[in-house]
Amino acid sequence: MSNFKIIYVNWTKPFFNKKNFTGIKSYLKDGQAPLEYKLEDYEKLMQIYSFTSAKRHTGAPIKMYTDTAGYEYYRKENMLQYFDEVDVDFLNSVNADSSIDPAKFWTSGKILSICNEKPPFLFLDTDFFLLNKIPDWVFKKDVTHAHWELLRAWLYVAEGRVKDEFKLDIPEFSETMLIPNTCFLFMNDNDLVKSMQKRYRELHLEIVTKDYHYVPDELWLMTDQNILGYILRHRNADVGHAINKIYIQFADNLGSKVVGNTPRWTHFDNIEKQLPEVDYHHVWFEKTHMHQNPEYKKSIMKDWQARIDENLKALSL
C-alpha cells in the first residue's frame, strides 16, 4: 500500500499537569508546573530516530498531531523538517475541553487523534522504531496492532468492577480477552474501520469525562487499549498483530529457572505464526531506566545517534 499516512501524536497538556501524575507516571511527577514545554535530551533523540526510521522504511508522508506548545517546541528545535503535515487545531480543541483530566487520562490526545484521522493511516508512538520495510499483509487487514497483551494482577479488570466500582456500561466489554498494544496501529480505509473509530471515540469520551474519586492505572489503560480490543471483537474485525508474541504483564523477575516461572513473552496456539513479522523496537519501559540511570541513557543515546545518521544518509540517496 502506498497511499497511507504515518501519524504521530504529541499532546503536551499532560506535561503541564505532571505535578498530578499518579501510578505508572509517578516517576515523572514534578512538584511545580512547568512554564514551557520541552523534551528531555533522550526523548528528543528518540523522536528523531522514530521519525527518520518511519520515513526511511515506508516513504509515507508523516503527519504530526500536536498543540501550540508542541509546535513551538518543534519549531525552535528545527524538528518541523521531519513532518510533511502538522495539525495543531485538533489538539488545541482537546486542550479547551476541561472535562478531560490530562494527568489521569494522559493518552486521551492520542486516542482522539487516532479517531479523528481519515484512514488509511499507520499510527506510531514516538518511542517506536521501525527497522525494516513493513510486510504487505499488514495493509490487507482491517486493523493491525503491535501485539496482544495478557492482562494480569491489578491491571486486570473484572466485569464486576466495571459496573459496580467505575459505574460504566460497556456493551462490548470482554473480561477474558487479550488486549491490543497500540504503539503500532494500522487502520484501513473501509466502512467497518470508520464505524469502529467512531465507537472508539464515543466510548473513550464516555469513560474519561465521568467524575471519579480516584483513577487507577487499570481504568486509564482501559480507555486506551482495552476498549479498542472490545470493539474489534464485537465487530468481528479482521485483525493482525505485527509480531507473533504475546506480552504477559507482571512477568517473574526471579529468572527463567525458578519453578512456575511466568515469562515476559509467550505464544498461544491460536496466534498465527506463518506471516512475516514487522521488524521494530519499542522503547516502552526502557524510558524509566533512562530517566533513572545516566550511564545507561548515555550508551543508548550514542547508539540512537548512529542509527539516525544511517537513516539520514539513506534518505539523502
Side-chain angles (χ1 to χ4, degrees):
M1 178 177 283
S2 59
N3 63 336
F4 70 97
K5 290 181 182 179
I6 301 284
I7 69 166
Y8 287 95
V9 179
N10 183 0
W11 185 39
T12 70
K13 197 171 182 181
F15 174 87
F16 291 105
N17 288 270
K18 59 185 180 179
K19 66 178 182 179
N20 297 319
F21 279 164
T22 59
I24 290 174
K25 299 290 279 186
S26 293
Y27 77 100
L28 293 173
K29 189 170 184 176
D30 195 327
Q32 296 184 345
L35 300 177
E36 183 179 14
Y37 177 76
K38 65 177 180 179
L39 294 172
E40 298 286 344
D41 54 357
Y42 73 89
E43 292 175 316
K44 177 183 175 182
L45 204 63
M46 178 181 73
Q47 290 198 13
I48 294 173
Y49 182 19
S50 183
F51 303 150
T52 56
S53 295
K55 179 63 78 172
R56 175 183 178 183
H57 295 299
T58 70
I62 295 178
K63 178 177 181 178
M64 169 60 77
Y65 276 92
T66 190
D67 45 32
T68 298
Y71 181 90
E72 286 303 311
Y73 173 82
Y74 287 135
R75 183 186 63 80
K76 291 176 183 177
E77 296 296 321
N78 194 31
M79 292 175 68
L80 293 175
Q81 62 179 306
Y82 301 112
F83 315 129
D84 299 283
E85 181 182 355
V86 180
D87 186 318
V88 175
D89 294 337
F90 180 75
L91 284 179
N92 278 347
S93 70
V94 174
N95 286 347
D97 185 352
S98 60
S99 66
I100 301 175
D101 188 328
K104 296 175 180 176
F105 297 106
W106 45 274
T107 53
S108 285
K110 162 185 167 178
I111 304 308
L112 294 174
S113 296
I114 287 172
C115 295
N116 182 71
E117 182 62 25
K118 182 180 178 180
F121 64 85
L122 172 61
F123 165 82
L124 300 177
D125 273 343
T126 55
D127 64 342
F128 184 98
F129 307 146
L130 192 59
L131 302 179
N132 271 301
K133 182 180 177 182
I134 300 172
D136 290 339
W137 67 262
V138 167
F139 306 110
K140 297 176 182 178
K141 300 289 186 179
D142 292 326
V143 173
T144 302
H145 61 90
H147 56 80
W148 294 107
E149 293 186 26
L150 178 64
L151 292 167
R152 276 169 35 96
W154 44 270
L155 287 179
Y156 174 81
V157 182
E159 185 173 7
R161 292 190 68 198
V162 174
K163 295 180 178 180
D164 300 334
E165 181 179 345
F166 303 138
K167 309 299 181 184
L168 297 172
D169 180 17
I170 304 175
E172 301 94 337
F173 180 79
S174 178
E175 186 176 61
T176 56
M177 75 173 293
L178 299 170
I179 63 169
N181 185 290
T182 57
C183 66
F184 173 105
L185 185 66
F186 172 73
M187 289 198 156
N188 218 331
D189 184 11
N190 61 51
D191 290 340
L192 175 63
V193 170
K194 291 173 184 176
S195 70
M196 291 191 295
Q197 278 182 290
K198 181 181 179 181
R199 179 56 178 155
Y200 196 10
R201 179 183 183 276
E202 290 173 348
L203 191 49
H204 179 84
L205 287 174
E206 179 183 331
I207 299 172
V208 303
T209 57
K210 285 179 66 71
D211 186 27
Y212 303 96
H213 173 68
Y214 172 68
V215 176
D217 286 328
E218 57 268 34
L219 179 57
W220 154 74
L221 186 62
M222 177 184 287
T223 70
D224 184 320
Q225 299 185 163
N226 299 30
I227 61 172
L228 176 60
Y230 306 156
I231 295 166
L232 293 173
R233 172 175 283 195
H234 189 259
R235 302 296 178 90
N236 195 29
D238 184 9
V239 182
H241 39 274
I243 58 173
N244 298 321
K245 296 192 296 184
I246 299 164
Y247 182 79
I248 300 181
Q249 295 174 348
F250 301 101
D252 270 331
N253 59 6
L254 300 177
S256 60
K257 295 183 179 180
V258 299
V259 175
N261 170 67
T262 300
R264 190 165 302 280
W265 295 93
T266 191
H267 295 89
F268 285 159
D269 290 340
N270 64 329
I271 295 294
E272 295 178 356
K273 299 181 176 65
Q274 69 268 28
L275 296 175
E277 295 186 328
V278 176
D279 189 8
Y280 73 82
H281 179 73
H282 184 200
V283 180
W284 211 0
F285 297 118
E286 294 170 33
K287 293 193 289 287
T288 305
H289 300 306
M290 297 184 74
H291 189 79
Q292 299 171 347
N293 188 328
E295 288 303 313
Y296 175 74
K297 180 178 75 170
K298 182 178 179 181
S299 66
I300 293 297
M301 288 181 63
K302 181 178 179 180
D303 177 67
W304 288 352
Q305 184 60 65
R307 293 175 184 270
I308 290 170
D309 293 342
E310 291 176 6
N311 287 342
L312 293 176
K313 182 177 180 181
L315 288 167
S316 68
L317 297 178

